[in-house]
Amino acid sequence: QLQLQESGPGLVKPSETLSLTCTVSGGSISSSSYYWGWIRQPPGKGLEWIGSIYYSGSTYYNPSLKSRVTISVDTSKNQFSLKLSSVTAADTAVYYCASLFRSLGIAAAGFFDYWGQGTLVTVSS
Amino acid sequence: AIRMTQSPSSFSASTGDRVTITCRASQGISSYLAWYQQKPGKAPKLLIYAASTLQSGVPSRFSGSGSGTDFTLTISCLQSEDFATYYCQQYYSYRLTFGGGTKVEIK
């Protein structure tokens, strides 16, 4: 069973870059069955997909965030990471990493079957 | 992007009730739909994928149906541990989108 754990600063200043890492255990990040995704949830609100990555490095981003998001993967450490630049208070949210089980026939699409516990990132000076 | 609309946004129910939550896609998504349950302070939990396939370990009182644009999640006999918020998610497109959520509260 996969386990995912987010790590990174809980407080980021406006205009700076939010950086989070997700460590995967219980399986290989190089599995052909999975993409790896980031999802966020502002306090009291719903879920928003940020982006996904395959172990090969192929990335897929939410168009609304694409200009500010970079997701990368480090297969040697079984980790993938999120960077979100030029943050504002609107980026305050719980950030989740999750495994995205591939849907056959549709590139980069699937459902999230394992989730990290989530980490609250607050954007404030 | 494919917009997912859930209804109702919240409602109250009693243990033992049969409850149904609806999710509508802005365009046809075949059966590429998942349902999640989220409790306060916790990560979402996958309940159903492919519109009607129960994830391993999920109680059989949960069921899903639908295809195309209209989907439902049904809880046949509501238990105390089922009071939570439920989200649908489409994966017809790599631009994954979630519904706004349905909060099931205790009456």
Side-chain angles (χ1 to χ4, degrees), chain A residues 39 41 45-49 52 60-61 63 96 100 103-104 106-113 115-117, chain B residues 32 34 36 38 41-46 49-50 55 87 89-100:
Chain A
I39 304 100
Q41 184 172 38
K45 297 189 178 180
L47 301 165
E48 179 182 34
W49 170 71
S52 306
Y60 307 85
Y61 298 137
Y96 295 100
L100 181 62
S103 173
L104 295 179
I106 302 181
F111 50 87
F112 297 102
D113 58 351
W115 295 64
Q117 65 185 21
Chain B
Y32 296 107
Y36 302 87
Q38 186 179 34
K42 300 295 186 181
K45 172 187 173 183
L46 176 67
Y49 60 93
Q55 172 70 342
Y87 293 93
Q89 176 234 322
Q90 66 78 22
Y91 52 100
Y92 183 80
S93 162
Y94 80 87
R95 297 179 180 180
L96 308 174
T97 48
F98 293 88

Side-chain angles (χ1 to χ4, degrees), chain B residues 11-19 75-79 107:
Chain B
F11 66 95
S12 299
S14 301
T15 55
D17 285 353
R18 178 183 180 89
V19 302
I75 310 172
S76 61
C77 183
L78 200 64
Q79 301 298 301
K107 184 181 286 184

Side-chain angles (χ1 to χ4, degrees), chain B residues 14-16 39 61 77-84 104 106:
Chain B
S14 301
T15 55
K39 296 181 179 179
R61 63 181 179 272
C77 183
L78 200 64
Q79 301 298 301
S80 57
E81 60 266 32
D82 301 335
F83 291 97
V104 180
I106 300 173

Side-chain angles (χ1 to χ4, degrees), chain A residues 12-123:
Chain A
V12 181
K13 290 182 169 56
S15 80
E16 296 190 344
T17 297
L18 177 160
S19 296
L20 296 174
T21 295
C22 183
T23 301
V24 178
S25 57
S28 173
I29 204 167
S30 299
S31 168
S32 60
S33 296
Y34 283 99
Y35 288 82
W36 306 93
W38 289 97
I39 304 100
R40 71 180 182 177
Q41 184 172 38
K45 297 189 178 180
L47 301 165
E48 179 182 34
W49 170 71
I50 299 171
S52 306
I53 190 165
Y54 197 51
Y55 75 90
S56 63
S58 297
T59 52
Y60 307 85
Y61 298 137
N62 187 324
S64 69
L65 298 169
K66 186 174 183 177
S67 63
R68 300 194 290 130
V69 173
T70 303
I71 297 176
S72 58
V73 64
D74 186 335
T75 55
S76 67
K77 294 182 178 179
N78 235 32
Q79 294 177 333
F80 62 106
S81 298
L82 168 70
K83 291 187 184 299
L84 181 66
S85 64
S86 305
V87 298
T88 69
D91 296 309
T92 293
V94 175
Y95 286 76
Y96 295 100
C97 61
S99 56
L100 181 62
F101 190 84
R102 293 179 63 186
S103 173
L104 295 179
I106 302 181
F111 50 87
F112 297 102
D113 58 351
Y114 295 98
W115 295 64
Q117 65 185 21
T119 187
L120 174 63
V121 179
T122 301
V123 179

